[in-house]
Amino acid sequence: MAIFVGVGRTEESSDNKNNEVKEEKKWKLLSEVKLTANNSKIFINKDTEGNDFNCEKIIIVGKVVSNVASKPMCKINSTIEFSGVASTYANGTRYIYETYEDKGFFIERDTKYLNQDILESSVLFDNGFFRVVKEQANGIKSIELYGDSTSFTFKSGTEIEVYGF
């Protein structure tokens, strides 16, 4: 699908005390999903080589083809759930871009470009959302995408790419 232009780009981490760059991190394609049949959810816990992954940050991009309008839902590590408040999967085709980052005892969802409301058990910080983790997250190891409607399905033609580092 190759719709994410950030492939091959790097992300730098800096030390706040003296602004020195500590390390350079390269984005890696973790998974590429192209549905040929309808599915009620998309669950990703293996990379493109079939190995488990453990990322500090992930980006989900793609084209969702759905049968009904529904609120997009994302579950990180099978326990930390985010809902798409003020956002919907359209009945038809919608393009998505989501980022999630492990912050230790928080998983952050970058919603800087969405009009969001405060979610239960969430903390609003710098226009993004943190979900409190009861114990240290130790990375993002799985992603589950689904809709909040029981009749929602991802239809054939849905294409999702997940990148991480």
Side-chain angles (χ1 to χ4, degrees):
M1 186 166 62
I3 61 173
F4 179 57
V5 296
V7 176
R9 292 171 60 182
T10 59
E11 191 140 321
E12 296 175 346
S13 110
S14 63
D15 184 337
N16 291 338
K17 292 179 185 173
N18 54 17
N19 259 353
E20 291 178 11
V21 173
K22 284 185 176 176
E23 60 184 288
E24 196 174 90
K25 299 177 181 182
K26 293 200 180 253
W27 290 100
K28 174 187 175 188
L29 176 64
L30 297 175
S31 184
E32 188 172 22
V33 175
K34 294 182 180 182
L35 296 183
T36 57
N38 294 352
N39 287 295
S40 60
K41 66 180 177 181
I42 296 172
F43 182 73
I44 300 164
N45 67 347
K46 303 283 184 195
D47 67 15
T48 55
E49 288 89 37
N51 301 312
D52 293 338
F53 61 84
N54 188 349
C55 295
E56 292 176 32
K57 188 171 185 177
I58 60 167
I59 294 176
I60 304 167
V61 292
K63 173 180 76 170
V64 171
V65 183
S66 59
N67 64 328
V68 296
S70 184
K71 187 184 298 180
M73 305 292 288
C74 182
K75 197 177 283 186
I76 302 294
N77 297 343
S78 299
T79 58
I80 307 155
E81 191 170 36
F82 292 86
S83 64
V85 176
S87 180
T88 59
Y89 288 139
N91 180 0
T93 301
R94 180 176 190 267
Y95 293 88
I96 64 168
Y97 175 90
E98 301 255 342
T99 66
Y100 296 89
E101 185 171 359
D102 176 2
K103 300 267 188 181
F105 287 94
F106 300 95
I107 297 288
E108 177 186 21
R109 176 182 184 204
D110 185 354
T111 58
K112 292 179 182 169
Y113 306 106
L114 298 174
N115 178 16
Q116 298 279 332
D117 296 325
I118 296 294
L119 303 176
E120 185 180 345
S121 302
S122 298
V123 179
L124 183 61
F125 181 80
D126 192 26
N127 296 324
F129 281 94
F130 286 104
R131 270 298 163 96
V132 176
V133 181
K134 291 184 178 145
E135 56 190 52
Q136 199 159 351
N138 295 320
I140 298 171
K141 301 172 183 95
S142 70
I143 303 119
E144 182 179 341
L145 302 172
Y146 55 101
D148 72 340
S149 164
T150 56
S151 60
F152 175 86
T153 59
F154 292 100
K155 292 176 70 175
S156 177
T158 293
E159 297 180 2
I160 302 286
E161 291 179 354
V162 179
Y163 296 85
F165 65 75

